[in-house]
PDB file of all heavy atoms in Angstrom:
ATOM      1  N   PRO W   1      -2.564 -26.767  -5.466  1.00 90.00           N
ATOM      2  CA  PRO W   1      -2.762 -27.729  -6.570  1.00 90.00           C
ATOM      3  C   PRO W   1      -4.231 -28.045  -6.811  1.00 90.00           C
ATOM      4  O   PRO W   1      -4.653 -28.269  -7.957  1.00 90.00           O
ATOM      5  CB  PRO W   1      -2.000 -28.976  -6.087  1.00 90.00           C
ATOM      6  CG  PRO W   1      -0.997 -28.452  -5.103  1.00 90.00           C
ATOM      7  CD  PRO W   1      -1.636 -27.281  -4.439  1.00 90.00           C
ATOM      8  N   GLU W   2      -5.026 -28.050  -5.726  1.00 87.00           N
ATOM      9  CA  GLU W   2      -6.455 -28.399  -5.852  1.00 87.00           C
ATOM     10  C   GLU W   2      -7.218 -27.388  -6.709  1.00 87.00           C
ATOM     11  O   GLU W   2      -8.304 -27.689  -7.221  1.00 87.00           O
ATOM     12  CB  GLU W   2      -7.104 -28.489  -4.474  1.00 87.00           C
ATOM     13  CG  GLU W   2      -6.647 -29.674  -3.634  1.00 87.00           C
ATOM     14  CD  GLU W   2      -5.336 -29.389  -2.902  1.00 87.00           C
ATOM     15  OE1 GLU W   2      -4.744 -28.295  -3.119  1.00 87.00           O
ATOM     16  OE2 GLU W   2      -4.918 -30.243  -2.111  1.00 87.00           O
ATOM     17  N   SER W   3      -6.670 -26.166  -6.835  1.00 87.00           N
ATOM     18  CA  SER W   3      -7.381 -25.141  -7.611  1.00 87.00           C
ATOM     19  C   SER W   3      -7.423 -25.477  -9.096  1.00 87.00           C
ATOM     20  O   SER W   3      -8.216 -24.905  -9.837  1.00 87.00           O
ATOM     21  CB  SER W   3      -6.717 -23.775  -7.413  1.00 87.00           C
ATOM     22  OG  SER W   3      -5.433 -23.756  -8.032  1.00 87.00           O
ATOM     23  N   ARG W   4      -6.572 -26.383  -9.532  1.00 85.00           N
ATOM     24  CA  ARG W   4      -6.517 -26.724 -10.958  1.00 85.00           C
ATOM     25  C   ARG W   4      -7.350 -27.952 -11.295  1.00 85.00           C
ATOM     26  O   ARG W   4      -7.358 -28.411 -12.432  1.00 85.00           O
ATOM     27  CB  ARG W   4      -5.060 -26.926 -11.370  1.00 85.00           C
ATOM     28  CG  ARG W   4      -4.253 -25.621 -11.301  1.00 85.00           C
ATOM     29  CD  ARG W   4      -2.822 -25.776 -11.761  1.00 85.00           C
ATOM     30  NE  ARG W   4      -1.999 -26.499 -10.784  1.00 85.00           N
ATOM     31  CZ  ARG W   4      -1.448 -25.917  -9.707  1.00 85.00           C
ATOM     32  NH1 ARG W   4      -1.670 -24.626  -9.470  1.00 85.00           N
ATOM     33  NH2 ARG W   4      -0.698 -26.605  -8.880  1.00 85.00           N
ATOM     34  N   GLN W   5      -8.047 -28.479 -10.289  1.00 83.00           N
ATOM     35  CA  GLN W   5      -8.936 -29.617 -10.537  1.00 83.00           C
ATOM     36  C   GLN W   5     -10.227 -29.158 -11.213  1.00 83.00           C
ATOM     37  O   GLN W   5     -10.589 -27.987 -11.151  1.00 83.00           O
ATOM     38  CB  GLN W   5      -9.290 -30.302  -9.206  1.00 83.00           C
ATOM     39  CG  GLN W   5      -8.108 -30.895  -8.467  1.00 83.00           C
ATOM     40  CD  GLN W   5      -8.504 -31.475  -7.121  1.00 83.00           C
ATOM     41  OE1 GLN W   5      -7.678 -31.985  -6.405  1.00 83.00           O
ATOM     42  NE2 GLN W   5      -9.786 -31.378  -6.775  1.00 83.00           N
ATOM     43  N   GLU W   6     -10.915 -30.095 -11.811  1.00 81.00           N
ATOM     44  CA  GLU W   6     -12.216 -29.785 -12.406  1.00 81.00           C
ATOM     45  C   GLU W   6     -13.349 -30.109 -11.456  1.00 81.00           C
ATOM     46  O   GLU W   6     -14.520 -29.892 -11.793  1.00 81.00           O
ATOM     47  CB  GLU W   6     -12.386 -30.557 -13.721  1.00 81.00           C
ATOM     48  CG  GLU W   6     -11.417 -30.103 -14.799  1.00 81.00           C
ATOM     49  CD  GLU W   6     -11.714 -30.764 -16.132  1.00 81.00           C
ATOM     50  OE1 GLU W   6     -12.707 -31.527 -16.207  1.00 81.00           O
ATOM     51  OE2 GLU W   6     -10.968 -30.516 -17.094  1.00 81.00           O
ATOM     52  N   THR W   7     -13.022 -30.614 -10.275  1.00 87.00           N
ATOM     53  CA  THR W   7     -14.027 -30.946  -9.263  1.00 87.00           C
ATOM     54  C   THR W   7     -13.621 -30.277  -7.954  1.00 87.00           C
ATOM     55  O   THR W   7     -12.451 -29.937  -7.750  1.00 87.00           O
ATOM     56  CB  THR W   7     -14.131 -32.462  -9.061  1.00 87.00           C
ATOM     57  OG1 THR W   7     -12.826 -32.970  -8.735  1.00 87.00           O
ATOM     58  CG2 THR W   7     -14.647 -33.144 -10.319  1.00 87.00           C
ATOM     59  N   PRO W   8     -14.566 -30.083  -7.027  1.00 91.00           N
ATOM     60  CA  PRO W   8     -14.225 -29.431  -5.763  1.00 91.00           C
ATOM     61  C   PRO W   8     -13.288 -30.290  -4.923  1.00 91.00           C
ATOM     62  O   PRO W   8     -13.310 -31.533  -5.017  1.00 91.00           O
ATOM     63  CB  PRO W   8     -15.578 -29.247  -5.079  1.00 91.00           C
ATOM     64  CG  PRO W   8     -16.584 -29.967  -5.873  1.00 91.00           C
ATOM     65  CD  PRO W   8     -15.988 -30.405  -7.158  1.00 91.00           C
ATOM     66  N   PRO W   9     -12.440 -29.671  -4.093  1.00 92.00           N
ATOM     67  CA  PRO W   9     -11.561 -30.434  -3.199  1.00 92.00           C
ATOM     68  C   PRO W   9     -12.370 -31.088  -2.086  1.00 92.00           C
ATOM     69  O   PRO W   9     -13.536 -30.759  -1.869  1.00 92.00           O
ATOM     70  CB  PRO W   9     -10.626 -29.366  -2.649  1.00 92.00           C
ATOM     71  CG  PRO W   9     -11.420 -28.099  -2.704  1.00 92.00           C
ATOM     72  CD  PRO W   9     -12.279 -28.218  -3.936  1.00 92.00           C
ATOM     73  N   ALA W  10     -11.746 -31.976  -1.363  1.00 92.00           N
ATOM     74  CA  ALA W  10     -12.427 -32.655  -0.250  1.00 92.00           C
ATOM     75  C   ALA W  10     -12.844 -31.667   0.824  1.00 92.00           C
ATOM     76  O   ALA W  10     -13.863 -31.858   1.495  1.00 92.00           O
ATOM     77  CB  ALA W  10     -11.527 -33.732   0.338  1.00 92.00           C
ATOM     78  N   SER W  11     -12.061 -30.598   0.998  1.00 93.00           N
ATOM     79  CA  SER W  11     -12.396 -29.589   2.005  1.00 93.00           C
ATOM     80  C   SER W  11     -11.804 -28.248   1.595  1.00 93.00           C
ATOM     81  O   SER W  11     -10.584 -28.088   1.515  1.00 93.00           O
ATOM     82  CB  SER W  11     -11.859 -29.997   3.381  1.00 93.00           C
ATOM     83  OG  SER W  11     -11.987 -28.929   4.300  1.00 93.00           O
ATOM     84  N   PHE W  12     -12.688 -27.268   1.339  1.00 94.00           N
ATOM     85  CA  PHE W  12     -12.209 -25.919   1.054  1.00 94.00           C
ATOM     86  C   PHE W  12     -11.567 -25.294   2.288  1.00 94.00           C
ATOM     87  O   PHE W  12     -10.540 -24.619   2.190  1.00 94.00           O
ATOM     88  CB  PHE W  12     -13.369 -25.033   0.581  1.00 94.00           C
ATOM     89  CG  PHE W  12     -13.771 -25.256  -0.849  1.00 94.00           C
ATOM     90  CD1 PHE W  12     -14.858 -26.049  -1.173  1.00 94.00           C
ATOM     91  CD2 PHE W  12     -13.062 -24.649  -1.884  1.00 94.00           C
ATOM     92  CE1 PHE W  12     -15.239 -26.242  -2.490  1.00 94.00           C
ATOM     93  CE2 PHE W  12     -13.418 -24.834  -3.213  1.00 94.00           C
ATOM     94  CZ  PHE W  12     -14.517 -25.637  -3.509  1.00 94.00           C
ATOM     95  N   SER W  13     -12.181 -25.505   3.447  1.00 92.00           N
ATOM     96  CA  SER W  13     -11.684 -24.846   4.655  1.00 92.00           C
ATOM     97  C   SER W  13     -10.269 -25.306   5.005  1.00 92.00           C
ATOM     98  O   SER W  13      -9.447 -24.509   5.484  1.00 92.00           O
ATOM     99  CB  SER W  13     -12.635 -25.094   5.828  1.00 92.00           C
ATOM    100  OG  SER W  13     -12.759 -26.480   6.089  1.00 92.00           O
ATOM    101  N   ALA W  14      -9.966 -26.580   4.766  1.00 93.00           N
ATOM    102  CA  ALA W  14      -8.625 -27.081   5.076  1.00 93.00           C
ATOM    103  C   ALA W  14      -7.554 -26.356   4.266  1.00 93.00           C
ATOM    104  O   ALA W  14      -6.407 -26.209   4.701  1.00 93.00           O
ATOM    105  CB  ALA W  14      -8.562 -28.583   4.804  1.00 93.00           C
ATOM    106  N   LEU W  15      -7.935 -25.876   3.087  1.00 93.00           N
ATOM    107  CA  LEU W  15      -6.981 -25.200   2.213  1.00 93.00           C
ATOM    108  C   LEU W  15      -6.977 -23.682   2.398  1.00 93.00           C
ATOM    109  O   LEU W  15      -5.948 -23.028   2.209  1.00 93.00           O
ATOM    110  CB  LEU W  15      -7.320 -25.511   0.753  1.00 93.00           C
ATOM    111  CG  LEU W  15      -7.309 -26.992   0.346  1.00 93.00           C
ATOM    112  CD1 LEU W  15      -7.932 -27.155  -1.036  1.00 93.00           C
ATOM    113  CD2 LEU W  15      -5.883 -27.528   0.343  1.00 93.00           C
ATOM    114  N   MET W  16      -8.125 -23.099   2.758  1.00 93.00           N
ATOM    115  CA  MET W  16      -8.286 -21.650   2.659  1.00 93.00           C
ATOM    116  C   MET W  16      -8.336 -20.907   3.994  1.00 93.00           C
ATOM    117  O   MET W  16      -8.192 -19.675   4.010  1.00 93.00           O
ATOM    118  CB  MET W  16      -9.570 -21.331   1.859  1.00 93.00           C
ATOM    119  CG  MET W  16      -9.550 -21.869   0.433  1.00 93.00           C
ATOM    120  SD  MET W  16     -11.165 -21.777  -0.421  1.00 93.00           S
ATOM    121  CE  MET W  16     -11.434 -20.030  -0.490  1.00 93.00           C
ATOM    122  N   LEU W  17      -8.542 -21.626   5.095  1.00 93.00           N
ATOM    123  CA  LEU W  17      -8.732 -20.937   6.375  1.00 93.00           C
ATOM    124  C   LEU W  17      -7.561 -20.047   6.748  1.00 93.00           C
ATOM    125  O   LEU W  17      -7.737 -18.974   7.348  1.00 93.00           O
ATOM    126  CB  LEU W  17      -8.987 -21.953   7.499  1.00 93.00           C
ATOM    127  CG  LEU W  17     -10.436 -22.336   7.780  1.00 93.00           C
ATOM    128  CD1 LEU W  17     -10.500 -23.372   8.887  1.00 93.00           C
ATOM    129  CD2 LEU W  17     -11.280 -21.118   8.146  1.00 93.00           C
ATOM    130  N   ASP W  18      -6.351 -20.462   6.427  1.00 91.00           N
ATOM    131  CA  ASP W  18      -5.177 -19.697   6.858  1.00 91.00           C
ATOM    132  C   ASP W  18      -4.741 -18.643   5.844  1.00 91.00           C
ATOM    133  O   ASP W  18      -3.668 -18.050   5.982  1.00 91.00           O
ATOM    134  CB  ASP W  18      -4.019 -20.636   7.172  1.00 91.00           C
ATOM    135  CG  ASP W  18      -3.539 -21.391   5.930  1.00 91.00           C
ATOM    136  OD1 ASP W  18      -4.280 -21.389   4.918  1.00 91.00           O
ATOM    137  OD2 ASP W  18      -2.442 -21.982   5.987  1.00 91.00           O
ATOM    138  N   PHE W  19      -5.566 -18.367   4.820  1.00 93.00           N
ATOM    139  CA  PHE W  19      -5.219 -17.306   3.885  1.00 93.00           C
ATOM    140  C   PHE W  19      -5.123 -15.979   4.645  1.00 93.00           C
ATOM    141  O   PHE W  19      -5.915 -15.714   5.557  1.00 93.00           O
ATOM    142  CB  PHE W  19      -6.286 -17.174   2.787  1.00 93.00           C
ATOM    143  CG  PHE W  19      -6.202 -18.217   1.699  1.00 93.00           C
ATOM    144  CD1 PHE W  19      -5.447 -19.371   1.862  1.00 93.00           C
ATOM    145  CD2 PHE W  19      -6.899 -18.059   0.508  1.00 93.00           C
ATOM    146  CE1 PHE W  19      -5.375 -20.336   0.856  1.00 93.00           C
ATOM    147  CE2 PHE W  19      -6.851 -19.003  -0.492  1.00 93.00           C
ATOM    148  CZ  PHE W  19      -6.082 -20.153  -0.311  1.00 93.00           C
ATOM    149  N   PRO W  20      -4.170 -15.117   4.294  1.00 91.00           N
ATOM    150  CA  PRO W  20      -4.017 -13.845   5.008  1.00 91.00           C
ATOM    151  C   PRO W  20      -5.106 -12.843   4.606  1.00 91.00           C
ATOM    152  O   PRO W  20      -5.133 -12.357   3.474  1.00 91.00           O
ATOM    153  CB  PRO W  20      -2.640 -13.353   4.547  1.00 91.00           C
ATOM    154  CG  PRO W  20      -2.440 -13.980   3.207  1.00 91.00           C
ATOM    155  CD  PRO W  20      -3.141 -15.309   3.249  1.00 91.00           C
ATOM    156  N   VAL W  21      -6.026 -12.570   5.524  1.00 92.00           N
ATOM    157  CA  VAL W  21      -7.088 -11.590   5.281  1.00 92.00           C
ATOM    158  C   VAL W  21      -7.009 -10.524   6.364  1.00 92.00           C
ATOM    159  O   VAL W  21      -6.452 -10.762   7.448  1.00 92.00           O
ATOM    160  CB  VAL W  21      -8.480 -12.263   5.294  1.00 92.00           C
ATOM    161  CG1 VAL W  21      -8.620 -13.255   4.158  1.00 92.00           C
ATOM    162  CG2 VAL W  21      -8.773 -12.931   6.624  1.00 92.00           C
ATOM    163  N   PRO W  22      -7.536  -9.328   6.119  1.00 92.00           N
ATOM    164  CA  PRO W  22      -7.538  -8.283   7.144  1.00 92.00           C
ATOM    165  C   PRO W  22      -8.257  -8.758   8.400  1.00 92.00           C
ATOM    166  O   PRO W  22      -9.152  -9.613   8.338  1.00 92.00           O
ATOM    167  CB  PRO W  22      -8.284  -7.133   6.472  1.00 92.00           C
ATOM    168  CG  PRO W  22      -8.166  -7.385   5.005  1.00 92.00           C
ATOM    169  CD  PRO W  22      -8.133  -8.877   4.850  1.00 92.00           C
ATOM    170  N   ALA W  23      -7.890  -8.184   9.533  1.00 92.00           N
ATOM    171  CA  ALA W  23      -8.483  -8.587  10.810  1.00 92.00           C
ATOM    172  C   ALA W  23     -10.000  -8.437  10.790  1.00 92.00           C
ATOM    173  O   ALA W  23     -10.726  -9.298  11.315  1.00 92.00           O
ATOM    174  CB  ALA W  23      -7.874  -7.757  11.943  1.00 92.00           C
ATOM    175  N   LYS W  24     -10.497  -7.359  10.165  1.00 91.00           N
ATOM    176  CA  LYS W  24     -11.949  -7.122  10.148  1.00 91.00           C
ATOM    177  C   LYS W  24     -12.676  -8.133   9.253  1.00 91.00           C
ATOM    178  O   LYS W  24     -13.898  -8.251   9.317  1.00 91.00           O
ATOM    179  CB  LYS W  24     -12.245  -5.704   9.673  1.00 91.00           C
ATOM    180  CG  LYS W  24     -11.881  -5.424   8.231  1.00 91.00           C
ATOM    181  CD  LYS W  24     -12.044  -3.954   7.850  1.00 91.00           C
ATOM    182  CE  LYS W  24     -13.470  -3.483   7.967  1.00 91.00           C
ATOM    183  NZ  LYS W  24     -13.621  -2.085   7.479  1.00 91.00           N
ATOM    184  N   SER W  25     -11.911  -8.867   8.430  1.00 92.00           N
ATOM    185  CA  SER W  25     -12.512  -9.849   7.522  1.00 92.00           C
ATOM    186  C   SER W  25     -12.424 -11.271   8.053  1.00 92.00           C
ATOM    187  O   SER W  25     -13.036 -12.181   7.480  1.00 92.00           O
ATOM    188  CB  SER W  25     -11.821  -9.797   6.151  1.00 92.00           C
ATOM    189  OG  SER W  25     -11.680  -8.489   5.672  1.00 92.00           O
ATOM    190  N   ARG W  26     -11.678 -11.491   9.127  1.00 93.00           N
ATOM    191  CA  ARG W  26     -11.348 -12.847   9.554  1.00 93.00           C
ATOM    192  C   ARG W  26     -12.587 -13.689   9.862  1.00 93.00           C
ATOM    193  O   ARG W  26     -12.715 -14.821   9.392  1.00 93.00           O
ATOM    194  CB  ARG W  26     -10.417 -12.786  10.768  1.00 93.00           C
ATOM    195  CG  ARG W  26     -10.103 -14.134  11.418  1.00 93.00           C
ATOM    196  CD  ARG W  26      -9.591 -15.198  10.448  1.00 93.00           C
ATOM    197  NE  ARG W  26      -8.385 -14.797   9.744  1.00 93.00           N
ATOM    198  CZ  ARG W  26      -7.860 -15.496   8.753  1.00 93.00           C
ATOM    199  NH1 ARG W  26      -8.470 -16.602   8.306  1.00 93.00           N
ATOM    200  NH2 ARG W  26      -6.749 -15.094   8.158  1.00 93.00           N
ATOM    201  N   THR W  27     -13.518 -13.144  10.650  1.00 93.00           N
ATOM    202  CA  THR W  27     -14.706 -13.930  11.026  1.00 93.00           C
ATOM    203  C   THR W  27     -15.530 -14.296   9.792  1.00 93.00           C
ATOM    204  O   THR W  27     -15.961 -15.441   9.622  1.00 93.00           O
ATOM    205  CB  THR W  27     -15.577 -13.135  12.018  1.00 93.00           C
ATOM    206  OG1 THR W  27     -14.804 -12.857  13.192  1.00 93.00           O
ATOM    207  CG2 THR W  27     -16.812 -13.924  12.411  1.00 93.00           C
ATOM    208  N   ALA W  28     -15.743 -13.306   8.918  1.00 93.00           N
ATOM    209  CA  ALA W  28     -16.542 -13.549   7.712  1.00 93.00           C
ATOM    210  C   ALA W  28     -15.836 -14.529   6.774  1.00 93.00           C
ATOM    211  O   ALA W  28     -16.487 -15.374   6.141  1.00 93.00           O
ATOM    212  CB  ALA W  28     -16.816 -12.225   6.990  1.00 93.00           C
ATOM    213  N   TRP W  29     -14.507 -14.427   6.665  1.00 95.00           N
ATOM    214  CA  TRP W  29     -13.756 -15.343   5.805  1.00 95.00           C
ATOM    215  C   TRP W  29     -13.869 -16.779   6.318  1.00 95.00           C
ATOM    216  O   TRP W  29     -14.046 -17.715   5.532  1.00 95.00           O
ATOM    217  CB  TRP W  29     -12.291 -14.914   5.742  1.00 95.00           C
ATOM    218  CG  TRP W  29     -11.444 -15.832   4.904  1.00 95.00           C
ATOM    219  CD1 TRP W  29     -10.574 -16.781   5.347  1.00 95.00           C
ATOM    220  CD2 TRP W  29     -11.419 -15.918   3.473  1.00 95.00           C
ATOM    221  NE1 TRP W  29      -9.997 -17.437   4.293  1.00 95.00           N
ATOM    222  CE2 TRP W  29     -10.498 -16.936   3.121  1.00 95.00           C
ATOM    223  CE3 TRP W  29     -12.086 -15.225   2.463  1.00 95.00           C
ATOM    224  CZ2 TRP W  29     -10.233 -17.268   1.796  1.00 95.00           C
ATOM    225  CZ3 TRP W  29     -11.821 -15.561   1.137  1.00 95.00           C
ATOM    226  CH2 TRP W  29     -10.906 -16.578   0.823  1.00 95.00           C
ATOM    227  N   THR W  30     -13.769 -16.945   7.636  1.00 95.00           N
ATOM    228  CA  THR W  30     -13.905 -18.279   8.229  1.00 95.00           C
ATOM    229  C   THR W  30     -15.270 -18.866   7.905  1.00 95.00           C
ATOM    230  O   THR W  30     -15.394 -20.041   7.521  1.00 95.00           O
ATOM    231  CB  THR W  30     -13.706 -18.206   9.753  1.00 95.00           C
ATOM    232  OG1 THR W  30     -12.395 -17.684  10.025  1.00 95.00           O
ATOM    233  CG2 THR W  30     -13.850 -19.573  10.393  1.00 95.00           C
ATOM    234  N   GLN W  31     -16.317 -18.036   8.044  1.00 94.00           N
ATOM    235  CA  GLN W  31     -17.668 -18.493   7.740  1.00 94.00           C
ATOM    236  C   GLN W  31     -17.798 -18.867   6.272  1.00 94.00           C
ATOM    237  O   GLN W  31     -18.434 -19.864   5.916  1.00 94.00           O
ATOM    238  CB  GLN W  31     -18.674 -17.393   8.091  1.00 94.00           C
ATOM    239  CG  GLN W  31     -20.133 -17.785   7.861  1.00 94.00           C
ATOM    240  CD  GLN W  31     -20.575 -18.928   8.740  1.00 94.00           C
ATOM    241  OE1 GLN W  31     -20.537 -18.820   9.962  1.00 94.00           O
ATOM    242  NE2 GLN W  31     -20.982 -20.039   8.141  1.00 94.00           N
ATOM    243  N   LEU W  32     -17.163 -18.090   5.410  1.00 94.00           N
ATOM    244  CA  LEU W  32     -17.196 -18.377   3.980  1.00 94.00           C
ATOM    245  C   LEU W  32     -16.568 -19.738   3.680  1.00 94.00           C
ATOM    246  O   LEU W  32     -17.114 -20.538   2.915  1.00 94.00           O
ATOM    247  CB  LEU W  32     -16.449 -17.279   3.223  1.00 94.00           C
ATOM    248  CG  LEU W  32     -16.170 -17.532   1.731  1.00 94.00           C
ATOM    249  CD1 LEU W  32     -17.468 -17.611   0.948  1.00 94.00           C
ATOM    250  CD2 LEU W  32     -15.275 -16.450   1.150  1.00 94.00           C
ATOM    251  N   CYS W  33     -15.418 -20.009   4.284  1.00 95.00           N
ATOM    252  CA  CYS W  33     -14.729 -21.281   4.037  1.00 95.00           C
ATOM    253  C   CYS W  33     -15.589 -22.473   4.447  1.00 95.00           C
ATOM    254  O   CYS W  33     -15.701 -23.470   3.709  1.00 95.00           O
ATOM    255  CB  CYS W  33     -13.407 -21.315   4.802  1.00 95.00           C
ATOM    256  SG  CYS W  33     -12.199 -20.118   4.202  1.00 95.00           S
ATOM    257  N   TYR W  34     -16.210 -22.386   5.606  1.00 95.00           N
ATOM    258  CA  TYR W  34     -17.059 -23.491   6.072  1.00 95.00           C
ATOM    259  C   TYR W  34     -18.331 -23.614   5.224  1.00 95.00           C
ATOM    260  O   TYR W  34     -18.858 -24.716   5.032  1.00 95.00           O
ATOM    261  CB  TYR W  34     -17.402 -23.313   7.543  1.00 95.00           C
ATOM    262  CG  TYR W  34     -16.238 -23.583   8.468  1.00 95.00           C
ATOM    263  CD1 TYR W  34     -15.858 -22.665   9.445  1.00 95.00           C
ATOM    264  CD2 TYR W  34     -15.488 -24.763   8.355  1.00 95.00           C
ATOM    265  CE1 TYR W  34     -14.780 -22.913  10.288  1.00 95.00           C
ATOM    266  CE2 TYR W  34     -14.408 -25.021   9.191  1.00 95.00           C
ATOM    267  CZ  TYR W  34     -14.057 -24.097  10.151  1.00 95.00           C
ATOM    268  OH  TYR W  34     -12.989 -24.349  10.971  1.00 95.00           O
ATOM    269  N   THR W  35     -18.818 -22.479   4.715  1.00 95.00           N
ATOM    270  CA  THR W  35     -19.989 -22.527   3.827  1.00 95.00           C
ATOM    271  C   THR W  35     -19.654 -23.273   2.540  1.00 95.00           C
ATOM    272  O   THR W  35     -20.456 -24.074   2.040  1.00 95.00           O
ATOM    273  CB  THR W  35     -20.481 -21.101   3.506  1.00 95.00           C
ATOM    274  OG1 THR W  35     -20.833 -20.441   4.719  1.00 95.00           O
ATOM    275  CG2 THR W  35     -21.690 -21.136   2.581  1.00 95.00           C
ATOM    276  N   LEU W  36     -18.463 -23.016   1.985  1.00 95.00           N
ATOM    277  CA  LEU W  36     -18.050 -23.740   0.772  1.00 95.00           C
ATOM    278  C   LEU W  36     -17.981 -25.238   1.031  1.00 95.00           C
ATOM    279  O   LEU W  36     -18.321 -26.045   0.153  1.00 95.00           O
ATOM    280  CB  LEU W  36     -16.684 -23.219   0.302  1.00 95.00           C
ATOM    281  CG  LEU W  36     -16.653 -21.765  -0.193  1.00 95.00           C
ATOM    282  CD1 LEU W  36     -15.230 -21.340  -0.528  1.00 95.00           C
ATOM    283  CD2 LEU W  36     -17.556 -21.585  -1.409  1.00 95.00           C
ATOM    284  N   ASP W  37     -17.563 -25.635   2.256  1.00 94.00           N
ATOM    285  CA  ASP W  37     -17.574 -27.067   2.609  1.00 94.00           C
ATOM    286  C   ASP W  37     -18.985 -27.634   2.557  1.00 94.00           C
ATOM    287  O   ASP W  37     -19.200 -28.770   2.122  1.00 94.00           O
ATOM    288  CB  ASP W  37     -16.996 -27.267   4.014  1.00 94.00           C
ATOM    289  CG  ASP W  37     -15.487 -27.081   4.058  1.00 94.00           C
ATOM    290  OD1 ASP W  37     -14.867 -27.072   2.982  1.00 94.00           O
ATOM    291  OD2 ASP W  37     -14.942 -26.952   5.170  1.00 94.00           O
ATOM    292  N   GLU W  38     -19.976 -26.822   3.006  1.00 93.00           N
ATOM    293  CA  GLU W  38     -21.374 -27.284   2.988  1.00 93.00           C
ATOM    294  C   GLU W  38     -21.874 -27.482   1.569  1.00 93.00           C
ATOM    295  O   GLU W  38     -22.711 -28.350   1.311  1.00 93.00           O
ATOM    296  CB  GLU W  38     -22.280 -26.255   3.688  1.00 93.00           C
ATOM    297  CG  GLU W  38     -22.209 -26.250   5.192  1.00 93.00           C
ATOM    298  CD  GLU W  38     -23.232 -25.300   5.783  1.00 93.00           C
ATOM    299  OE1 GLU W  38     -24.315 -25.117   5.164  1.00 93.00           O
ATOM    300  OE2 GLU W  38     -22.959 -24.733   6.852  1.00 93.00           O
ATOM    301  N   LEU W  39     -21.364 -26.678   0.644  1.00 94.00           N
ATOM    302  CA  LEU W  39     -21.839 -26.759  -0.746  1.00 94.00           C
ATOM    303  C   LEU W  39     -21.285 -27.985  -1.468  1.00 94.00           C
ATOM    304  O   LEU W  39     -21.879 -28.443  -2.445  1.00 94.00           O
ATOM    305  CB  LEU W  39     -21.445 -25.492  -1.515  1.00 94.00           C
ATOM    306  CG  LEU W  39     -21.870 -24.144  -0.897  1.00 94.00           C
ATOM    307  CD1 LEU W  39     -21.557 -23.003  -1.861  1.00 94.00           C
ATOM    308  CD2 LEU W  39     -23.337 -24.143  -0.528  1.00 94.00           C
TER     309      LEU W  39
END
């Protein structure tokens, strides 16, 4: 539901960390989620 907002959610990582990504992408995806929180 947060994807339809016009403003960022309180925490991207809380919503996106468990998205299914390939094993070789997991570390980078985790870093990406926390980076979005910093922004």
Side-chain angles (χ1 to χ4, degrees):
E2 291 83 356
S3 69
R4 293 183 287 278
Q5 297 176 180
E6 294 187 3
T7 56
S11 170
F12 282 99
S13 60
L15 301 169
M16 299 169 64
L17 270 178
D18 64 345
F19 282 15
V21 296
K24 66 187 298 185
S25 313
R26 174 52 58 188
T27 300
W29 178 257
T30 300
Q31 182 63 60
L32 170 65
C33 293
Y34 287 129
T35 300
L36 294 176
D37 287 346
E38 284 185 31
L39 306 187

